[in-house]
Amino acid sequence: MANKRIEPLRLSQAIGPEVAQGIELDFIEDGAITCAKGFTAGGIHAGFRKDPRRLDMALVVADELCAAAGVFTTNVFCAAPVIVSREHLNGTGAGTARAIVVNSGIANAATGDTGLAKARETADIVAGFVGCAAEDVLVASTGVIGQQLDTKPFESGVPALLEGISDTVQAGHDAARAIMTTDTVPKECAVSYVSADPALGGATITVGGMVKGSGMIMPNMATMISVVTTDAPVDSELLHEILLSCAKKSFNKVTVDSDTSTNDTCFMMASGKACPSARIERGSRAHRELEAAVMAVCTDLARKIATDGEGATKLVTVNVAGAASDADADLAARAIANSPLVKTAIFGHDCNWGRIAAAVGKSGARFQQTDCSIDIMGMPVCRKGLNVEFSEDEALRRFEDSEIVIDVQLGAGDAATTVWTCDFTHEYVTINGDYRS
């Protein structure tokens, strides 16, 4: 499996210069969740969707019970599988698991006690076939809200999946395809590194991940559905700390349409197979390495969500610097990224910096307009709150790039952040107008 070395600047941008210092990660070409040792996976058409050509159920199974963590939506209308999986992770997001099952097509959200019973039944079905306790199965669903989940597809689909799941890359790809809804492409990533921590004896650690998400995306503590695996030897409490920290700086910095899903879930399992005799200690070199690897995977997946936003033609990266606080930086960046006027201007290749200024001005972030500067695609368009003459022809040329970068300097402090979004197109309205059909 060929590896491509992450450029130092890219790694630094993804995980921060302090974390990246002295750490070398390799992106695994064609990487998947099955790249980490100790896991098998697969995807199948189980019958949740009408189209038999669409895979609609994914299963990820650990060779044995292992450390697990979860981060979930904060939406009050949270789905039944979110409630059940929280319970299975001790209500804290940290515990153990043997298997993760995800269905697409039906969200099992806003389904009351019946939906809760269906989610628990799903865990029971998977546990029976895998050979573990129901509490060791994590469940997730994505799709239409308000419809009851039929569990019969699990009864036939799980044993069929177990006959074909494997640790191959193709099996990982099938799992990633099976969790898609309005996504146009599966989203996967894997990295590896050789630990420099003497406690791990030069072990090679791998982190792999898959995610689905294209619309109803402004996650709060996670993204729509994501599964991350690692063969690092780490306990569940530290695993949860790492996952939570990385989700806040990656998945939680994505917005397609400012809506937080009812089903946002991010799971992570750690098999420990890379170095079974060791254990990563909090604050150690090995801890820092693993967090860097998880952050790199989550950042890559987060950018892929924004790139594949419903109907999107452009990935949009919003960088805000010079904020008075981290909260102010986030307010300003999200105001820009969520602005329909900014997003439609980008779709129209209109270098209308006034829309960006208006979004920042309404955000609630503290700054003076006379201190504010704005660049679009590296081109200065505003300095000290005033217009800077620029070439419209050059602006149109730069808008041909697949990624549009907006840089805003508030001049009010040292805090900074990055948020990823996409443009708004006619297709976004078409997709969401026809979603239930």
Side-chain angles (χ1 to χ4, degrees), residues 6-23 25 27 292 295-296 299 418 420:
I6 303 175
E7 295 299 327
L9 177 60
R10 181 178 179 185
L11 179 60
S12 177
Q13 288 173 334
I15 63 181
E18 297 83 6
V19 178
Q21 186 176 8
I23 297 175
L25 302 180
F27 267 125
M295 187 63 198
T299 299
T418 297
W420 297 283

Side-chain angles (χ1 to χ4, degrees), residues 288-350:
R288 190 161 63 91
E289 291 170 340
L290 179 59
E291 185 161 3
V294 175
M295 187 63 198
V297 168
C298 291
T299 299
D300 186 85
L301 294 175
R303 285 170 55 87
K304 286 173 178 173
I305 292 172
T307 301
D308 193 35
E310 289 175 338
T313 66
K314 304 288 184 184
L315 168 65
V316 181
T317 298
V318 180
N319 299 311
V320 171
S325 67
D326 290 342
D328 283 336
D330 195 66
L331 282 171
R334 286 185 188 275
I336 297 166
N338 284 326
S339 169
L341 292 178
V342 172
K343 291 156 73 73
T344 51
I346 291 170
F347 172 60
H349 295 192
D350 181 8

Side-chain angles (χ1 to χ4, degrees), residues 69-72 221-224 226 228 243 251 264-268:
V71 187
F72 303 95
M221 307 304 288
T223 187
M224 286 195 69
S226 180
V228 182
L243 182 62
F251 295 135
D264 290 345
T265 299
C266 182
F267 292 130
M268 187 169 181

Side-chain angles (χ1 to χ4, degrees), residues 1-177:
M1 200 178 302
N3 288 1
K4 181 180 178 181
R5 179 58 53 85
I6 303 175
E7 295 299 327
L9 177 60
R10 181 178 179 185
L11 179 60
S12 177
Q13 288 173 334
I15 63 181
E18 297 83 6
V19 178
Q21 186 176 8
I23 297 175
E24 290 187 350
L25 302 180
D26 289 310
F27 267 125
I28 300 174
E29 186 177 343
D30 210 28
I33 55 171
T34 47
C35 290
K37 297 176 184 175
F39 299 98
T40 54
I44 196 173
H45 174 77
F48 297 103
R49 295 183 175 279
K50 295 177 182 179
D51 186 350
R53 296 168 298 179
R54 289 201 64 176
L55 305 185
D56 56 14
M57 186 173 72
L59 189 64
V60 181
V61 180
D63 292 349
E64 55 194 42
L65 194 66
C66 67
V71 187
F72 303 95
T73 184
T74 58
N75 194 312
V76 174
F77 247 106
C78 67
V82 170
I83 295 171
V84 171
S85 291
R86 275 184 182 143
E87 292 173 353
H88 290 187
L89 290 173
N90 303 313
T92 64
T96 56
R98 179 75 194 284
I100 297 171
V101 64
V102 184
N103 75 274
S104 60
I106 300 294
N108 194 9
T111 49
D113 291 340
T114 300
L116 278 172
K118 295 287 187 180
R120 294 191 174 104
E121 184 182 351
T122 299
D124 288 336
I125 292 169
V126 174
F129 287 112
V130 171
C132 64
E135 292 75 18
D136 295 327
V137 177
L138 303 176
V139 296
S141 300
T142 181
V144 178
I145 295 170
Q147 295 184 5
Q148 293 293 346
L149 180 69
D150 183 3
T151 58
K152 289 182 181 178
F154 292 105
E155 294 174 357
S156 58
V158 172
L161 253 178
L162 287 172
E163 287 183 6
I165 64 171
S166 72
D167 60 359
T168 65
V169 169
Q170 184 57 54
H173 294 341
D174 289 344
R177 286 173 56 214

Side-chain angles (χ1 to χ4, degrees), residues 253-312:
K253 295 292 186 178
V254 178
T255 178
V256 170
D257 46 25
S258 81
D259 282 323
T260 299
S261 169
T262 55
N263 291 58
D264 290 345
T265 299
C266 182
F267 292 130
M268 187 169 181
M269 291 197 291
S271 69
K273 294 286 187 177
C275 193
S277 61
R279 186 64 56 195
I280 293 177
E281 300 293 335
R282 182 177 282 98
S284 66
R285 163 81 186 199
H287 175 182
R288 190 161 63 91
E289 291 170 340
L290 179 59
E291 185 161 3
V294 175
M295 187 63 198
V297 168
C298 291
T299 299
D300 186 85
L301 294 175
R303 285 170 55 87
K304 286 173 178 173
I305 292 172
T307 301
D308 193 35
E310 289 175 338

